[in-house]
Amino acid sequence: MMGVENTMLDAYTKRGEVGLSRKLFDEMTEKDVVSWNSMIAVYAQIGLSIDAFEFFHGMLKDGGACAHKGALRVGMCLHHQVLRFLFILEWFVPCIRSFL
C-alpha cells in the first residue's frame, strides 16, 4: 500500500498541492524516505523552506534518513555539493555584478 500512497504523494507534490500532500502524508500509517522527501520537496518548491527543514528534521527523528545502508555517505556527498555550490555563488555573483 505504501507504494500506491507514495505514487499519489509524488503526483500531488509535482502539482504543488501542499494541502493534499500533507493530508495524505498525515494519514499514511508507514512512511519511508520517498514519503518524507516528497513532503520536503513540496514545501521547498513553493518557498516554504522552514517547513521543508521541519520535515527534514522529522525524517531524521523518525529514522527515515538512515533507512538504507550508505545513506550517510550520500548525505555527506550532498552536503559537500551544496557547500561547493554556495561557495561558487559567493564568488561568482559579485563578479557578475561588477560587470553590470
Side-chain angles (χ1 to χ4, degrees), residues 14-67:
K14 287 179 179 171
R15 291 179 36 204
E17 297 282 352
V18 179
L20 291 173
S21 298
R22 181 61 189 258
K23 183 178 184 314
L24 177 59
F25 183 85
D26 288 342
E27 293 173 354
M28 292 174 71
T29 55
E30 292 183 53
K31 298 169 179 82
D32 63 2
V33 176
V34 175
S35 313
W36 285 100
N37 283 335
S38 292
M39 290 308 300
I40 293 166
V42 75
Y43 283 109
Q45 287 172 3
I46 61 170
L48 297 175
S49 55
I50 292 173
D51 294 300
F53 278 115
E54 286 175 359
F55 266 92
F56 179 72
H57 180 69
M59 181 176 70
L60 294 176
K61 285 180 20 182
D62 187 57
C66 300

Side-chain angles (χ1 to χ4, degrees), residues 81-99:
Q81 293 301 319
V82 167
L83 291 178
R84 190 172 141 226
F85 177 71
L86 291 175
F87 174 76
I88 290 170
L89 280 179
E90 192 173 291
W91 175 82
F92 189 69
V93 170
C95 290
I96 295 294
R97 286 185 183 149
S98 69
F99 287 111

